[in-house]
């Protein structure tokens, strides 16, 4: 199984400042035949289901604000919120879909400082 | 706009069974493989099971293999999860999730609101 490790577990960022969340996979999720990283990012607010933000490691889902961006390749990935807004308070998860079982990181809670 | 509505959750005793359903609309259900994902109270996300668009291929997490059965009825646009021999550790919100690409194991671009299963004596 591919183990997804997120860091930090939580972070507090001032409004308008940058938030950076890291995700590391125990093996590469880069599929060489199409050069795509099988990695997605989700946002989950209390009482709601997760919402897709980023897929293929760096492609923003339609309707997601451009302050959210994803980067990285192979085993190391980053979700960046360039300018934190009140509505971004949530838990963020990375997920690999390179192989079954599909696995998620443990989550990173983002709060306002 | 896709819609997924789970039902069937509730309180059940350990060792008993429960059946969940997910009614899909707003997309061509029969083109998409579908997933169940669960989340224990206050915990992270755990993928549970996948079924291909035609029901011919199924994958399960080791934690539920041999106890849970995923199925679908494309004529009714409905996904099912039969849960047998339930354990306390199966207590969770169960979500059905639609993949972003038809017929593929990919990211989930739409989730239902979930149905809560509580296993307790």
């Amino acid at each position: 199984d591919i183990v997804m490790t997120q860091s930090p577990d939580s972070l507090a960022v001032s409004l308008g400042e940058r938030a950076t969340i890291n995700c590391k996979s125990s093996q590469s999720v880069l599929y060489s035949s199409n050069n795509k990283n099988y990695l997605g990012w989700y946002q989950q607010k209390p009482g709601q289901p997760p919402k897709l933000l980023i897929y293929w490691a760096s492609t923003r889902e339609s309707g997601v604000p451009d302050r959210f961006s994803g980067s990285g390749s192979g085993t190391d990935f980053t979700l960046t919120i360039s300018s934190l807004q009140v509505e971004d308070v949530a838990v963020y998860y990375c997920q690999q879909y390179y192989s079954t079982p599909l696995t998620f990181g443990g989550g990173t809670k983002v709060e306002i400082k | 706009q896709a819609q997924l509505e789970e039902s069937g959750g509730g309180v059940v005793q350990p060792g008993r069974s429960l059946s969940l359903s997910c009614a899909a609309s707003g997309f061509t259900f029969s083109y998409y493989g579908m997933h169940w994902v669960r989340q224990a109270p206050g915990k992270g996300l755990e993928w549970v099971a996948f079924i291909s668009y035609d029901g011919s291929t199924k994958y399960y997490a080791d934690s539920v293999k041999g106890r849970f059965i995923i199925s679908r009825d494309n004529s009714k646009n409905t996904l099912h999860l039969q849960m047998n021999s339930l354990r306390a550790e199966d207590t969770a919100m169960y979500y059905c999730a639609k993949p972003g690409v038809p017929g593929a194991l990919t990211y989930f671009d739409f989730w239902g609101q979930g149905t809560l299963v509580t296993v307790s004596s």
Side-chain angles (χ1 to χ4, degrees):
Chain A
D1 298 4
I2 299 177
V3 177
M4 307 299 291
T5 303
Q6 285 184 235
S7 61
D9 292 336
S10 65
L11 75 161
V13 176
S14 300
L15 285 173
E17 295 301 305
R18 178 184 300 260
T20 301
I21 301 168
N22 300 301
C23 174
K24 188 174 183 68
S25 57
S26 61
Q27 63 189 75
S28 177
V29 297
L30 174 62
Y31 196 40
S32 56
S33 65
N34 60 10
N35 201 37
K36 286 187 172 184
N37 287 283
Y38 283 50
L39 189 287
W41 288 97
Y42 300 85
Q43 175 193 67
Q44 187 178 32
K45 297 180 179 179
Q48 296 184 19
K51 173 189 173 184
L52 177 68
L53 296 176
I54 302 285
Y55 55 97
W56 303 128
S58 61
T59 301
R60 196 179 304 114
E61 172 71 332
S62 175
V64 173
D66 60 8
R67 64 181 179 272
F68 291 92
S69 63
S71 63
S73 185
T75 61
D76 292 279
F77 301 91
T78 300
L79 175 70
T80 301
I81 310 172
S82 61
S83 176
L84 192 74
Q85 304 300 304
V86 170
E87 60 266 33
D88 301 334
V89 170
V91 179
Y92 294 83
Y93 295 94
C94 61
Q95 178 229 342
Q96 66 80 20
Y97 43 95
Y98 183 88
S99 65
T100 56
L102 307 183
T103 48
F104 294 86
T108 296
K109 187 174 186 179
V110 174
E111 300 172 309
I112 305 293
K113 184 186 291 182
Chain B
Q1 172 75 350
Q3 288 195 35
L4 297 170
E5 185 171 353
E6 302 91 341
S7 60
V11 180
V12 61
Q13 292 179 329
R16 303 298 291 263
S17 299
L18 200 63
S19 180
L20 306 183
S21 296
C22 172
S25 60
F27 65 102
T28 307
F29 180 73
S30 61
Y31 286 5
Y32 287 82
M34 292 293 293
H35 299 257
W36 287 99
V37 179
R38 69 184 181 183
Q39 185 170 35
K43 302 298 185 182
L45 300 165
E46 180 188 18
W47 171 81
V48 173
F50 164 81
I51 185 168
S52 60
Y53 70 100
D54 61 355
S56 63
T57 301
K58 302 175 185 180
Y59 298 117
Y60 297 93
D62 284 348
S63 58
V64 307
K65 201 174 295 182
R67 299 188 300 122
F68 289 13
I69 300 171
I70 189 171
S71 63
R72 65 189 298 155
D73 184 341
N74 285 346
S75 69
K76 296 181 179 179
N77 290 348
T78 304
L79 176 71
H80 300 284
L81 186 68
Q82 176 66 38
M83 304 186 296
N84 303 317
S85 303
L86 283 160
R87 305 167 180 167
E89 54 265 36
D90 296 319
T91 294
M93 183 71 79
Y94 284 74
Y95 297 102
C96 64
K98 169 188 168 292
V101 179
L105 284 164
T106 69
Y107 53 90
F108 309 122
D109 71 343
F110 198 80
W111 302 60
Q113 290 296 311
T115 188
L116 182 61
V117 173
T118 303
V119 184
S120 173
S121 54

